[in-house]
């Protein structure tokens, strides 16, 4: 193609796109909400949205995301009317830490009772809580209580007590420390306090000294922190580094969380909590005695969701979910699975799954049309990319939300990610396009919200002989739903009667790269497409 004809071609496409954009938007507005029922109960089986607070939306022009920024994006997240079809439709928000802290990520806290001034004030937090609740959205805060910053006044007092040898000081035991015997070395993960021979525990970094949870004053203080925010109206917490409370002893750490959760539930019986226990299922099971945990096994590039989304075995995935639910329900009757594909500590999923291949959409189908309380990482719904890369920096996983409408939020310090590799369609663009990943996520959440039984109730994995097609039946309060996924590139045909599923006579919804059709008990399910059936 000659250069001039290429330009002409691009011009023609642009004209066509702009001509069709308003029509497509109108069609998108109509997005099949007619006839959908949104009477989902007010419980904790919610779709959450993780906001890396400093990278989301900037309300005051300093380039840093803040609480007022989240408020100004509430229409994007949830406009309070599921039937409008005009907002993403998330049902909960996880804010990464908002407390006073010297770092951009704020996982090293100076003062747990203050909002960092870069993010706003306690009054801003109260206003955000109010707005969330008006929209039926729950707000949970990130509690990194295993450690603090070194400039936290507790640590300053602790350090001084050791430097002066004052072992009667109230803060002498506030942090975890050891004094190795003469000639012995301190264990890994400890740092000497001056040249006192005392070493404080810091498994992540010297800048993150770990609190001593054998000290009742520490327990009481960090319980007060949670109570303080529950009083303010937050709905719950995400517990950072939950297995590090007593590092190396999961039973003891889990017992701490049982004690902590007993106290929180006494105040707020429906408090929403989820713990970060980045470990195998055998280990997370231990923590389920206290709280739900993120399901790290199915997340990330090597996880079961990504593997299944790339034309993998759906039966293995649904069998995994059923086994998970069976195990955690045996530990605690109201336990949930909390799936996700990426968060602020992992590479973004669109980078390895890709939107163009359709695999990103299949992954979303698998974990959002499923049991429990899934977490979407901000920008995931746009197909945003970001990975540690050669510079090995987490900042690349926390890039500024691509609003495309003049939001002044900037990438965090230390970012090295090549903007040319980023998805080019912003939120502004994608909201106008029925074919965008944003519109896809929106539709997916509508389907989920209109069928409460997908997230709740008894989950029974199907074991189909066609290993690239699979699904589950879920029953909740008299409602039954059948969810089927086809992860292959070609359409599949399923005789529901032959499988004993003939009572599912209505194809309620389908979503994916192709279409679905049900007639006379025969379901045709297009490639990379999922279907929801009801009796
Ligand atoms: Ca700001
Ligand atoms: Ca610890």
């Amino acid at each position: 193609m000659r250069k001039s004809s290429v330009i002409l071609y691009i011009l023609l496409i642009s004209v066509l796109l702009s001509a069709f954009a308003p029509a497509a938007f109108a069609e998108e507005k109509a997005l099949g909400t007619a006839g959908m029922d949104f009477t989902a109960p007010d419980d904790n089986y919610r779709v959450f949205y993780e906001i890396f607070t400093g990278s989301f939306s900037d309300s005051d022009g300093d380039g840093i995301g803040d609480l007022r920024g989240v408020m100004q994006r509430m229409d994007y997240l949830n406009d309070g009317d599921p039937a409008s079809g005009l907002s993403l439709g998330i049902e909960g928000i996880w804010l990464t830490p908002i407390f006073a802290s010297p770092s951009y990520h704020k996982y090293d806290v100076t003062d747990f009772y203050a909002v960092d001034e870069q993010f706003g004030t306690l009054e801003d937090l109260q206003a955000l809580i109010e707005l969330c609740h008006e929209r039926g959205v729950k707000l949970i805060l990130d509690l990194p209580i295993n450690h603090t910053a070194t400039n936290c006044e507790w640590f300053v007092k602790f350090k001084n007590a050791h430097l002066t040898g004052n072992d009667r000081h109230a803060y002498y035991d506030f942090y975890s420390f050891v004094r190795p015997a003469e000639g012995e070395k301190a264990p890994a993960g400890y740092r000497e306090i001056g040249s006192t021979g005392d070493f404080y525990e810091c498994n992540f970094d010297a800048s993150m000294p770990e609190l001593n949870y054998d000290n009742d004053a520490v327990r009481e203080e960090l319980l007060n922190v949670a109570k303080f925010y529950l009083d303010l109206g937050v709905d719950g917490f995400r517990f950072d580094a939950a297995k590090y409370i007593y590092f190396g002893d999961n039973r003891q750490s889990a017992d701490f969380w049982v004690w902590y959760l007993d106290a929180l539930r006494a105040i707020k019986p429906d408090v929403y909590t989820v713990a970060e226990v980045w470990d195998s299922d055998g280990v997370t099971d231990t923590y389920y005695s206290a709280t739900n945990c993120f399901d790290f096994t199915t997340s990330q590039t090597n996880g079961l969701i990504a593997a299944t989304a790339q034309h993998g075995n759906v039966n293995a995935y649904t069998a995994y979910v059923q086994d998970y639910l069976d195990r955690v329900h045996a530990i605690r009757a109201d336990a949930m699975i909390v799936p996700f594909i990426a968060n602020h500590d992992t590479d973004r999923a669109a980078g390895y799954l890709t939107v163009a291949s359709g695999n990103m959409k299949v992954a979303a189908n698998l974990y959002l049309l499923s049991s429990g309380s899934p977490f979407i990482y901000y920008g995931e719904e746009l197909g945003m990319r970001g990975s540690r890369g050669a510079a090995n920096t987490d900042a690349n996983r926390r890039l500024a939300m691509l609003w495309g409408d003049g939001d002044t939020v900037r990438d965090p310090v230390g970012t090295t990610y090549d903007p040319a590799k980023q998805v080019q369609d912003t939120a502004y663009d994608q909201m106008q396009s029925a074919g965008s990943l944003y519109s896809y996520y929106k539709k997916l959440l509508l389907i989920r919200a209109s069928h409460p039984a997908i997230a709740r109730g008894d989950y029974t994995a199907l074991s189909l002989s066609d290993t690239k097609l699979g699904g589950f039946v879920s029953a909740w309060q008299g409602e039954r739903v059948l969810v089927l996924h086809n992860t292959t590139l070609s359409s599949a045909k399923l005789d529901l009667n032959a499988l004993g599923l003939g009572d599912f006579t209505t194809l309620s919804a389908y979503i994916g790269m192709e279409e679905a059709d049900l007639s006379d008990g025969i379901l045709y399910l297009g490639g990379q497409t999922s279907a929801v059936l009801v009796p």
Side-chain angles (χ1 to χ4, degrees), residues 61-303:
D62 69 353
I64 302 167
D66 46 56
L67 299 182
R68 292 275 165 190
V70 177
M71 289 180 72
Q72 69 192 12
R73 297 300 181 176
M74 198 57 81
D75 283 348
Y76 173 86
L77 297 169
N78 189 324
D79 65 359
D81 177 13
S84 79
L86 289 174
S87 63
L88 187 56
I90 54 90
E91 299 154 327
I93 293 172
W94 157 23
L95 292 180
T96 57
I98 60 168
F99 317 118
S101 161
S103 63
Y104 83 90
H105 53 71
K106 312 211 185 292
Y107 278 94
D108 46 345
V109 174
T110 309
D111 181 358
F112 284 99
Y113 298 98
V115 171
D116 192 281
E117 57 187 20
Q118 289 184 330
F119 291 172
T121 63
L122 283 173
E123 288 69 35
D124 294 336
L125 178 61
Q126 277 174 310
L128 174 59
I129 292 166
E130 225 167 275
L131 182 58
C132 284
H133 291 173
E134 280 170 20
R135 306 289 174 94
V137 170
K138 288 198 175 184
L139 184 74
I140 65 168
L141 299 183
D142 204 323
L143 274 191
I145 60 168
N146 169 63
H147 47 261
T148 71
T150 48
N151 65 347
C152 174
E153 67 162 3
W154 304 337
F155 188 70
V156 173
K157 288 176 181 172
F158 163 85
K159 204 174 155 186
N160 284 336
H162 283 262
L163 289 171
T164 57
N166 182 1
D167 60 5
R168 291 182 180 182
H169 194 285
Y171 284 82
Y172 184 82
D173 284 328
F174 220 71
Y175 289 79
S176 169
F177 75 95
V178 293
R179 181 179 297 166
E182 196 77 20
E184 303 262 311
K185 282 171 69 178
Y190 284 77
R191 181 69 63 103
E192 190 166 13
I193 307 163
S195 48
T196 58
D198 292 347
F199 291 71
Y200 69 89
E201 187 179 12
C202 51
N203 289 299
F204 290 97
D205 191 85
S207 66
M208 294 180 171
E210 303 200 15
L211 291 158
N212 172 20
Y213 280 96
D214 280 337
N215 182 337
D216 286 344
V218 172
R219 287 193 173 217
E220 196 183 332
E221 186 71 61
L222 277 302
L223 186 56
N224 281 339
V225 169
K227 287 177 179 172
F228 179 79
Y229 288 100
L230 286 182
D231 282 350
L232 226 57
V234 307
D235 297 288
F237 306 100
R238 177 259 184 189
F239 300 126
D240 180 62
K243 71 172 187 174
Y244 285 82
I245 295 294
Y246 289 95
F247 186 57
D249 190 336
N250 287 308
R251 187 64 261 167
Q252 206 180 357
S253 294
D255 286 345
F256 163 79
W257 291 111
V258 169
W259 170 82
Y260 202 80
L261 264 294
D262 280 350
L264 297 190
R265 290 192 182 112
I267 299 165
K268 183 176 167 60
D270 67 339
V271 62
Y272 186 103
T273 62
V274 59
E276 179 204 27
V277 179
W278 199 331
D279 213 313
S280 62
D281 291 344
V283 174
T284 54
D285 284 359
T286 309
Y287 291 83
Y288 261 94
S289 54
T291 174
N292 300 318
C293 301
F294 285 113
D295 181 17
F296 277 88
T297 303
T298 52
S299 72
Q300 307 169 77
T301 180
N302 296 321

